[in-house]
Amino acid sequence: AQGRAAGAGLRPDFPILEEPGPAERAITYLDNAATSQKPEQVLAAMDEYYRHMNSNVHRGVHTLSARATEAYEAARAKVAAFVGARSDREVVFTRNASEAINLVACTWGEENIGEGDEIVLSVAEHHSNLVPWQLLAARKGAVLRFVGLDQEEGLDMDEYCSLVGPKTKLVALQHVSNTLGCVNDVETIVWRAKAVGARVLLDACQSVPHMPVDVQALGADWIAASSHKMCGPTGIGFLWGDMEVLESMPPWMGGGEMIQDVFLDHSTFSQPPMRFEAGTPAIAEAIGLGAACDYLSSIGMEEVHAYENEVGAYLYNRLQEVEGLRIYGPPPTAARGRASLCAFNVEGIHATDVSMILDTKGIAVRSGHHCTQPLHRHLGINASARASLYIYNTVEEVDQLVDDLRSTIDFFRL
């Protein structure tokens, strides 16, 4: 049942938040867009698997195998329910979101993208939603088209609508930007793509952990997401796909689990999702992801989104007070709001220097290009610092960031 409040009350569930840092105080963890921390409930679920049911799945009739299989498939059902899938058969477990996107590129893409066909992306895509399409386009002679940014540094929807045309076979865009924080207009994205018969893939890594996501309402053909950004373990992600589309896709990797019958000269293959899950899967990690879905559902994704809107706006507004600081992306008052993250630069100080000094004060933020090098070039910068919040961060931590950021700037201005 839902009802737990996001914020300080959740912090006891995350033991690492009490981990001491170099400033002799608990680390202020503001790097959640890179990975979230894991609650005790997720750690306990994975420990339970290894202590009481460790066995391979789908391959045995003995008690431990049955327990493991039941827990593994229960996790798939939890993920399916979490994103509003029609069936748990629409959820394919992968190593991460990158593998999920590569799976689509190397199966559906190989069979449906040809010479001269167009794939529409944006200048703001994470490398995981860019490089697979570059590789596919190089193999097939396809053309990549890129949507730019509007005046608020969100996706330019007028340009998007003009780029999508009769040659467009695929639109692959992020739902929420990991650098700009903009929330894209999925309704228009899908409508325009479907009008020309194109498929739509959404990189949902920065939306699934932070807001209610209903794949049926979104209308895309696939979404890709990562466990480790939503309180789950590393080493597992998932691809949701419309069943009709999944059934049309050939296998990618061969091996055990994904087969129906194997002969010396040929094989037949399982139906989705097993068709795409060759070999022993990440069983404990899947169970951990299922526990993460349970954890977030116990709070309620509406509550998660509302809290993050509040604390994210506070972060944006407090950083705006810092002289010489430039935040990238639209303001929280934008039509679709803004994610609870801010990528920024301070005039005259390199982002890595800012982040390194903040670390000495116990503040963990990320610096670099955030796997969005083309976006950084588009913005005319080579790096940025990024503070990103989650359900356990507080306004007090934002205040601490701003205080320590000001002292960091003073250090460099001496």
Side-chain angles (χ1 to χ4, degrees):
Q2 298 179 9
R4 301 192 67 192
L10 299 181
R11 293 179 69 84
D13 292 341
F14 297 84
I16 199 169
L17 298 180
E18 296 302 318
E19 189 70 17
E24 297 185 356
R25 66 179 190 231
I27 291 172
T28 299
Y29 185 78
L30 305 178
D31 192 22
N32 296 281
T35 198
S36 68
Q37 298 302 341
K38 323 305 174 194
E40 292 277 16
Q41 292 86 334
V42 169
L43 304 179
M46 297 176 71
D47 185 66
E48 172 81 5
Y49 164 74
Y50 281 121
R51 289 181 184 276
H52 300 292
M53 63 185 83
N54 182 45
S55 182
N56 217 324
V57 293
H58 306 138
R59 299 179 183 175
V61 295
H62 61 77
T63 298
L64 289 180
S65 181
R67 286 180 187 170
T69 299
E70 182 179 2
Y72 179 75
E73 291 301 334
R76 192 191 308 276
K78 291 174 182 180
V79 173
F82 192 77
V83 298
R86 293 181 184 89
S87 165
D88 59 3
R89 292 180 58 226
E90 294 181 327
V91 173
V92 180
F93 285 134
T94 59
R95 281 190 306 123
N96 44 43
S98 300
E99 184 172 270
I101 295 170
N102 275 275
L103 191 163
V104 176
C106 293
T107 56
W108 182 90
E110 285 291 337
E111 292 211 334
N112 292 276
I113 299 294
E115 187 171 357
D117 288 341
E118 295 183 354
I119 300 171
V120 174
L121 310 167
S122 82
V123 298
E125 296 309 309
H126 190 285
H127 297 163
S128 291
N129 197 33
L130 172 57
V131 178
W133 309 118
Q134 290 176 337
L135 294 172
L136 177 64
R139 292 194 301 268
K140 310 294 281 189
V143 178
L144 302 181
R145 305 290 299 275
F146 295 95
V147 184
L149 306 180
D150 61 19
Q151 290 297 311
E152 286 191 330
E153 293 179 340
L155 197 68
D156 187 331
M157 293 306 296
D158 290 336
E159 184 179 11
Y160 166 76
C161 288
S162 68
L163 279 181
V164 174
K167 293 184 178 180
T168 305
K169 290 295 172 66
L170 175 70
V171 171
L173 295 170
Q174 58 202 188
H175 190 178
V176 175
S177 170
N178 74 319
T179 302
L180 299 171
C182 57
V183 180
N184 287 332
D185 181 359
V186 172
E187 183 178 358
T188 300
I189 289 168
V190 171
W191 165 79
R192 183 70 185 110
K194 297 300 182 182
V196 299
R199 297 291 187 187
V200 179
L201 180 144
L202 291 178
D203 170 2
C205 287
Q206 298 295 338
S207 59
V208 168
H210 302 286
M211 62 180 66
V213 169
D214 184 328
V215 293
Q216 295 183 61
L218 290 177
D221 298 288
W222 307 274
I223 73 164
S226 283
S227 161
H228 70 94
K229 290 181 168 66
M230 53 184 289
C231 294
T234 57
I236 191 166
F238 68 91
L239 174 73
W240 169 85
D242 178 82
M243 181 51 68
E244 183 179 348
V245 181
L246 290 178
E247 288 177 338
S248 75
M249 292 160 50
W252 180 24
M253 292 184 287
E257 294 277 350
M258 52 76 68
I259 51 86
Q260 194 168 49
D261 290 298
V262 176
F263 304 89
L264 290 180
D265 59 350
H266 73 283
S267 297
T268 58
F269 306 109
S270 299
Q271 290 296 306
M274 302 305 297
R275 182 186 300 171
F276 308 111
E277 295 182 10
T280 298
I283 304 167
E285 288 77 6
I287 291 168
L289 171 55
C293 291
D294 286 342
Y295 184 81
L296 291 172
S297 296
S298 74
I299 303 165
M301 292 310 294
E302 293 284 358
E303 162 70 11
V304 168
H305 192 213
Y307 180 77
E308 289 194 27
N309 282 343
E310 179 184 339
V311 73
Y314 187 79
L315 170 68
Y316 183 94
N317 293 329
R318 286 302 322 272
L319 287 175
Q320 286 279 67
E321 299 170 4
V322 179
E323 185 177 355
L325 187 145
R326 154 89 150 93
I327 303 172
Y328 302 100
T333 53
R336 284 172 179 77
R338 179 189 172 97
S340 56
L341 63 88
C342 288
F344 62 90
N345 271 307
V346 178
E347 184 179 2
I349 308 174
H350 195 280
T352 299
D353 293 333
V354 170
S355 299
M356 288 178 64
I357 299 300
L358 284 175
D359 180 61
T360 67
K361 302 174 184 294
I363 305 285
V365 300
R366 189 147 295 256
S367 64
H369 51 68
H370 320 307
C371 291
T372 56
Q373 283 184 317
L375 173 61
H376 278 71
R377 292 192 190 97
H378 184 83
L379 295 169
I381 56 177
N382 61 10
S384 61
R386 183 184 66 192
S388 51
L389 310 179
Y390 203 24
I391 51 176
Y392 37 69
N393 291 121
T394 64
V395 294
E396 289 79 14
E397 289 181 306
V398 173
D399 291 338
Q400 189 68 59
L401 165 67
V402 173
D403 289 347
D404 289 341
L405 183 58
R406 283 195 165 116
S407 67
T408 297
I409 294 169
D410 290 343
F411 170 81
F412 284 106
R413 297 283 192 243
L414 292 176

